[in-house]
Amino acid sequence: MRADDHKINSTCDTNTDEMMQENNLQKPNIYNKYLPFYDSIKRQGVSKFDEIRENLSRSIQLNELQPGFSFWSNALQEFITLYGFYFTKTNHLKLVNFYLSVLSITDLQYTSVHICCELLSELLRKTRLITRDDLVIDWHTLYRWAKLIHSNHDKAHALVTLPEFVLHIVELWLSEFFNIWESIYNRTVWELHMIGIFSSVAWNNIGYIDWEPWLAQIFTRILRGFSVPVGKMQLSPQRYRYSTNEIARWIIAMMGNGSACLKYLGDLLMAMKSFYHPSNTGRFQESLSDFFSERKAHPLWWFQPRGSYRLTEQNITDFVNCIKDYVFISIFNKEHGQKAIEACKYLSMLRPELIVPPVIEKLFSSIENITEPHRFTAIVDCLTYLARQLVRQTSSYSEGQAYVLPLLMSVLPGIDLNDPKKIYTTLKFLNTVLSLITCVDCSSAVQIRDDLTDIEKQVCLSTKSFENFISTFLDRVFQMIEHLSSDMFDTTVITDEVNIDYRDIELLLESILRNITGQCSSKIYWFVQEKLTNFLSGAYFSPKVKGFVSAVVRALLHGNPVEALKCVLPKTCESIEKIMNHADTTELFINGKEDLELIWYLTLFSELVRARGDTLLIYKPMIMSIFNRSIHIVHKYSYEILANAARDLLESLSYVYPIEYRLTIENLDEPFIDFLPIRVWGQPVDFDRFQMQYHIPNVDEIDFACEFVKAFLYSELTLLNEKILKLSNQERSRSLSFVYNIALGYFHMIPRIESEQLADLVLSVVPYNSKYQFQTSTYMRESKFNENLRMRLVNDIGKLLDLLVKNHLDDVASMKKALEILSLSSIYYGVSKKDNAVRYRYFNSNKKIFKNQMCDERRALRFLAIETMALQIEDFILSNSEPMTHIDEQVVFRLFELSLHQYIEIRRTAQSELFSVLNHYAFSSNMIADRIVEVLKTANETDHDQVKGCLYILLGNDSFFLPTKISWSKMEKLWPSIASVNHSEKRSITNLIQRISHKIEKLFVTKEINQNANEESTRAAITLWCAIESKELETGNKLHEQQNLANTQSYNNLMEQLNSLITSNTTWKQQQVAMSMMFHLFQKYIPMSCSCIRTCVDLLVHDNVELREYAIKSIAAICRLQKPPRIYVEKPLGEILQHNGQSSVTIINDAYHPGDRMDNAWLTIDGYIPPTTQSEWEQTCFLDKSFHGYYTWPKMIKYSINKRERYSQNNMPEQAAILYNRFIDKNFVKRMTQFMILDHDNVDGQTEFDTIRFAAFKGLFRNFGLAFIDNFMEQLYMLIHEKTKEKQNGSHRVAAEIVAGIIRGSKYWTIEMLDELWKNLTVFLNEVCSNLNSNTCSCWGSCFKYAMENVDPRRMYRPIQFLQSLINNPAVINISSVTSLWYIIQQLDVFKWRVPSIWCYINDHVKKLLHHSFTAIRDRMAIVLSISLIFDLTLFHGESIRQPNIDQTIDEIHEQLHRAIKSYEEKPLTNVSDQIVEIDPEVREALNFIDTVILIHTKIFFFCSQPIKNSIIRIFPTLCNIESIVAHDDVVKTNLAISRLNVGMAYLNVNFVEALIKQLEHVYESSTWHARQVAIDFVQTMIFSNLFNARSYANRIHDFVLKSLSDEQYEVRIIASTTLSGLYQCGYIQVTDEDLKYFRIMSKTNYFTKINTKKVISTNDIIKRHAGVLGLCAIVLSNPYDIPMYVPDVLMLLCEHPHDSHLIQKSIKQCLSDFRHTHHDSWHEHREKFTDDQIVILTDVLISHTYYA
């Protein structure tokens, strides 16, 4: 041992004394302190944490990542769940550093990375426990793994299979990011991540960033980010929807210190108001949780918010007022109503006085209007979530208590069996409220106390109604039970299948009654008890209502078990005895005749014995007598009730459980001098006065339980042992049911079976179970039985199963129950995982309603805290992980044998229990792997059921899947056995194997083979615990080496066996499974055997298509494994720039200049002179990623030199030689390509480029250079010359994949090799391009795309030159070929900004073809031209000087457009001569050009990230003026509308808004009314999409719209009215008194005038009158879902025009019709805004035949 080892060893300290002092611990689980065995928890917690630390440390020091590190990391996760952060800060930091150090291991497998990330996330979750000074994390480690995970190229080739990761790494320069966000605004997915960055930086820097200058832009983008539909075409201004959670957090963070943010938020919601309405669909009903509590950021990790930026009380009030109306609207939304209800809950936590009263008012209104059940259920559901704010007293709001009793009474009609949803919602509300209040008549407190407020007096007086409410409620419940019972009373068949709605209702009813009896005064309890007992004793009911009866009985027992038992149990027992005395024993005990009355009383009895254990003791003789008399009843439903009663009795007597769940510990009875019950309504628990009460079994209870077990368990076992073959199936099933339920009730008291531990489950240097198991002092220490009952059941049930299998295969029910008992004997200790999960789900649903997100756990409600503690007890019991023993092994093997049984029901049960046992014991899966292999290998044709059983075991269930859980040594045997099952020809077997194979593909994660720690992780491991002794270290290292060798050997053997199956005489299905397995086992760090490689290559020409698919995937992976390494160099930026003729980086005024600069010109193709020598070629610095140099430069640049080794015939390893020998064979290549032609045709007949095959070909040519080029070139020509029509598309696809692979694979070839390659390829590609068509162009486009993307264009200058040569190719005359060529040319966009000269050339060329006579060519030209303009981007200080310029291009087109319009207007479209109609060529050309310009304009907005330029604004008026020109063509007309809509929906900064408004004003001066119409229609879209940026132009827009209302053209006026309504509706323009006055005066304009004594209609005056009416209509329709105070008067004004002209009547008629439609649903509320006279007038008009003819 080294000296330093001695030193470190001497410091090995468990820190027990320090940890036992709770003040030194980080954050223990608060609830553990109140458990009855807290002292034991403390001791076990310290010991268990030390054990975890020790074994984690030993695992890393001894290089064992699997299974040791994994197992004990999971143990740490479980420890934190149970105990909290039950360790000191020192140990906390050690753990963090430990897991960070493990991540520093270079070749760490991703499973271990996942473990480290999960634990680090957990350990760093409570950031307030660690300060900035405590911990410094090197972000490089996390960044490295984030990059590896998110950019993992091995995953695509199955060289690694990753678990699911969540990593977020952000680095931010705010102002620059915001400028980028402001500049690039169209169709960018990264914008979503930018929103997350802004939200995070705002939240964590509250008060340190001045957002005020950016608020208009921010809220404009936020509004656009909701992607709401805009315009008649219902298009969205934004492709990607923002995260509303991020937006909400960002908005809240910007509030405070007098910020205008709240004003902007109000305007935003106003604009979105109509989208909240239930008749629309909106997505802004997301959670607003945590926004207030998180605002109080702790200063340890986040910046301390400045005092002025802390939200004031007024800020909160303003915020709630701003949001509440929209939340109220959204409550009724059927899709997102739940989100709105949650938002309402959070708002009520902030300001209950603003939220609760309106919701209550809505409820009373909905009760009066019974025709809308959805409205009632929505509001009741909302009130359920507001219940805590409703019932509790706070300093700001206590009036809600006055509504409690009226609300309880008012919702009782909702208990209606005809509407399950309504009854469920009603009971849920009652349950929630009654959980939070005490049912006590406090009216006497008004006379006794003088400290009551007026509200408290009112509430106290209202509590007189509790008795009336309870009586009414119980009467309704009794009526419901009687109704349900009567419906089923005549039915003689009893079933356990209960409607799920009724089951939910039963649970709610039980909870309600328990709340009433548990939290009421003695007076009310006696009243309730009398009412309930009278009901129970009045008659007996159908077993169908058993759940409801159980609820009644349990409520009685919950309130006062002593009195309840005294009142009901003796009578019940007496009734049972009486029935038994008069019953026919033969019918009862042999024939199993049903007796409904007996079932009723047995049901009551079974519920009564659930009472608290100590209260049952005095009834012991009575209880024992009933069981003695009834236990042999063989009627199934009856004995199941009794069996459940036995279990419940034992649990009541012997379990530890809370005995009360009251809201308060105070006495609820009068007088109310010191305590007033209403003051605790809804109040949180005071943990300092918790006074938790548990049932802890005393000696008498334990004795009673033992006596019961002895009396009935042993008698049943004796019966089964002695008369097993004589018993009927019913008798056997009855007996086993009792044994099963007794085991459930008492097994927690029975210790494990003493047996030797299995030692060979898994090889590990650390133990894989804990020495410390959860125990409590309340459990029996000494057994009161002469034997271990678990062992007795294992033996007896085992024998029973043997006899049943041999003699009674028909008794499936008994065998299933016996299997369950066998499983219990091994793993059950009082709690099952399934029951625990169900209880957690129910608890979490309640917690969601009750928990106040603004408070910590110490502000929880008392009953929730008690339930948490009850669950915590269960969690401790479930946490025990005892090692597997030989007895457990026997149980597993017995279950395994029966899992292969011939009867499917027995198999399923055995398999289910087997999975439970195997899940319980760590690494137990390895134990049965050999048995499965044995069965699968030895089974013959008659063992179909056994094989099927084994396969179902392998298939597992949701929580267990054996094939991926076992070790390499077991996988070596098992996986080949699966693939080689002899029964694979049977369809059921084949399907099972396929399902297993698919599940392996889905769940298999690359496993460690060679495990190695590094020095850094070893040091951290020593720090975590201590250094192990050198002798042990030496032994451990030897074991580690042996394990690595064994794993490697097992892996290689497994691969060879699978390979042998593929190559042997097996079926295709078996070969497919084996190949799938082998493919997913490929390892990056283990060389693949030659035989496996040979098989993969041979399968390329296999007849089976699935095998060929796996083969090509395998070849791609093999080539990646075999690829020679690249040679990297790292140079300073200055040296590289100097070498490329650039002296320095362009930096002006300390600012970067993104875009085109002198210092990045060398990265482009412009002016690039290809090197002529190999030396120059290798020395050229190629940077493949397009982001290099665009924005700025790193100080050092690392790149791979343009040189790479390749395999040659005389220099290649054997593995590579296999590929070489096959692909050098022409016949092999020919066969392979012919097979590939047949693969992968889509359903619609279209060909799809296969990226996997492309990767395989790329790998071949990368690794072998020109070796195969002749063979493939020969095949390429054969492929493109394919004569068979059906094969042509497939042939071109394969050819494109090969060519793409060749080009991409040649990336590092020498100049000489590239010259030779392109000498051949150019000729070939020219021939391809001359024969392209619409069916083949897509695959050739993909060919060039994949060949060139992410590659420096200078490296790809040859394919670029080829594509450039296609631009003006005179050899191509076919129209289809021309469009296809341009599709291929547009793939140059993969080089992004780095080929500007080529795009300029393309731009100039395409502009000459915009008037082409063929539509297909014009459409393609429009697309290509738009793509050429993509990179004309301007980022703050940057500029685009080399790229084609949008302004220049559009201005040129604009000039030509004017000429085309002029030509169209000057000449007729058609000429008629000699009865022949001819289209004028010049006009036709003009129309073609107009059509193309429209399409270009549309495509610019599709492709460009920055489409709005000055030229786009300048051309806009022309796009309005040509509306009449394209009216004859619907397609072009639609495109024109979309093009204008794109401008309107685009994000416009202030300068562009100004320019566009000027253009609109210019358009309005047009003499063409079509232009004026589309201009005014455009305004609404533009303003809504840029609402806040356009605020300063509101008056100007207002005047513009009012002017349009008086337009001489009717159609323009109508659109102007619609636009004005929209502007009013979104809040951009306010409805002012001036507007109302103006429209009122205009609408009263007299349009009659006298000319020469004749009464004549004045056109100008009727236009004015119509404008006034339309303005009034706009005001009415701007409020589609509410009635502002001015709307009734406006409607009355509209009703004054019954005899106006037809156009005016038509407008009013449409307005009133729309008004009626939008306000119909809530008219009962809206009508309150009208006077009686107004209602009469409005009704008369609305029902008039004039308006609804």
Side-chain angles (χ1 to χ4, degrees), residues 734-784:
R734 177 209 61 79
S735 183
L736 286 168
S737 292
F738 269 95
V739 172
Y740 173 75
N741 280 279
I742 290 173
L744 283 175
Y746 203 68
F747 260 3
H748 70 288
M749 301 283 286
I750 307 299
R752 288 204 76 201
I753 302 171
E754 294 184 2
S755 178
E756 184 181 353
Q757 178 181 340
L758 289 179
D760 57 351
L761 282 179
V762 68
L763 185 62
S764 176
V765 296
V766 293
Y768 47 86
N769 57 78
S770 176
K771 296 180 291 186
Y772 307 101
Q773 302 300 322
F774 172 75
Q775 293 180 347
T776 69
S777 57
T778 59
Y779 288 174
M780 179 174 54
R781 293 301 183 189
E782 297 181 5
S783 175
K784 295 183 178 294

Side-chain angles (χ1 to χ4, degrees), residues 209-438:
I209 300 173
D210 182 13
W211 297 99
E212 208 72 15
W214 293 331
L215 285 179
Q217 297 97 310
I218 290 171
F219 276 89
T220 297
R221 296 294 285 272
I222 287 175
L223 177 58
R224 294 167 57 81
F226 291 122
S227 294
V228 295
V230 175
K232 297 177 181 178
M233 296 185 176
Q234 294 291 284
L235 300 178
S236 296
Q238 187 122 337
R239 180 185 296 180
Y240 306 105
R241 182 177 287 115
Y242 290 170
S243 164
T244 50
N245 286 333
E246 299 288 0
I247 291 172
R249 190 166 67 152
W250 191 5
I251 291 173
I252 298 302
M254 293 189 293
M255 291 181 184
N257 197 35
S259 169
C261 181
L262 196 60
K263 171 67 169 61
Y264 277 93
L265 176 61
D267 293 343
L268 173 73
L269 294 173
M270 171 64 74
M272 296 282 293
K273 186 174 182 179
S274 64
F275 294 97
Y276 285 106
H277 198 269
S279 62
N280 294 312
T281 56
R283 291 288 300 273
F284 195 57
Q285 292 89 22
E286 295 288 342
S287 172
L288 296 175
S289 64
D290 295 335
F291 72 89
F292 184 58
S293 60
E294 290 189 23
R295 186 63 196 268
K296 300 174 183 177
H298 201 279
L300 298 182
W301 282 101
W302 297 298
F303 291 103
Q304 174 71 30
R306 291 175 177 172
S308 61
Y309 278 85
R310 292 178 181 272
L311 291 181
T312 64
E313 295 301 314
Q314 187 59 45
N315 289 149
I316 298 170
T317 301
D318 293 342
F319 177 78
V320 175
N321 279 323
C322 180
I323 289 181
K324 65 175 185 177
D325 290 338
Y326 307 98
V327 174
F328 291 157
I329 293 173
S330 301
I331 288 172
F332 307 106
N333 190 307
K334 293 184 179 181
E335 288 189 32
H336 305 290
Q338 190 59 37
K339 286 289 184 183
I341 289 171
E342 292 175 22
C344 200
K345 171 191 171 184
Y346 298 126
L347 291 175
S348 71
M349 294 174 185
L350 298 174
R351 289 293 180 266
E353 67 275 14
L354 298 178
I355 302 299
V356 175
V359 178
I360 293 174
E361 184 180 342
K362 290 179 183 293
L363 175 63
F364 288 136
S365 174
S366 69
I367 292 173
E368 295 172 2
N369 183 33
I370 60 174
T371 60
E372 296 182 86
H374 169 68
R375 189 175 182 85
F376 172 81
T377 56
I379 299 173
V380 172
D381 200 15
C382 182
L383 268 178
T384 302
Y385 279 78
L386 305 185
R388 192 172 181 185
Q389 283 64 52
L390 168 71
V391 305
R392 68 184 300 204
Q393 291 186 12
T394 64
S395 57
S396 61
Y397 185 69
S398 57
E399 289 83 354
Q401 289 188 335
Y403 293 107
V404 171
L405 266 301
L407 282 173
L408 292 177
M409 291 296 296
S410 66
V411 300
L412 287 179
I415 303 177
D416 178 9
L417 279 175
N418 294 319
D419 189 341
K421 182 178 180 181
K422 182 189 286 188
I423 190 173
Y424 175 80
T425 305
T426 302
L427 292 178
K428 185 179 178 182
F429 170 71
L430 292 174
N431 177 49
T432 304
V433 173
L434 292 169
S435 299
L436 296 166
I437 66 174
T438 55

Side-chain angles (χ1 to χ4, degrees), residues 807 913 1185 1709 1746:
N807 300 288
E913 299 305 322
K1185 299 298 183 182
K1709 173 183 174 181
T1746 304

Side-chain angles (χ1 to χ4, degrees), residues 1405-1434:
H1405 185 84
V1406 167
K1407 282 186 290 188
K1408 301 173 185 176
L1409 301 173
L1410 300 183
H1411 58 274
H1412 201 282
S1413 58
F1414 287 98
T1415 302
I1417 293 180
R1418 293 199 309 273
D1419 290 350
R1420 181 56 59 186
M1421 294 304 102
I1423 293 172
V1424 173
L1425 184 66
S1426 302
I1427 292 174
S1428 75
L1429 302 172
I1430 287 177
F1431 308 107
D1432 181 15
L1433 300 175
T1434 305

Side-chain angles (χ1 to χ4, degrees), residues 393 398 401 442-463 672-679:
Q393 291 186 12
S398 57
Q401 289 188 335
C442 301
S443 56
S444 61
V446 177
Q447 309 298 328
I448 297 173
R449 302 181 66 126
D450 58 3
D451 62 340
L452 301 182
T453 65
D454 291 341
I455 292 296
E456 286 180 328
K457 290 178 181 178
Q458 182 182 349
V459 175
C460 287
L461 292 174
S462 72
T463 56
F672 304 115
I673 297 173
D674 299 320
F675 171 72
L676 187 61
I678 64 170
R679 289 180 176 172

Side-chain angles (χ1 to χ4, degrees), residues 107-126:
D107 57 348
L108 188 66
Q109 286 287 346
Y110 288 94
T111 49
S112 298
V113 176
H114 186 249
I115 289 169
C116 291
C117 292
E118 289 287 320
L119 265 298
L120 284 171
S121 177
E122 182 67 33
L123 290 168
L124 296 173
R125 181 169 54 89
K126 298 185 181 297

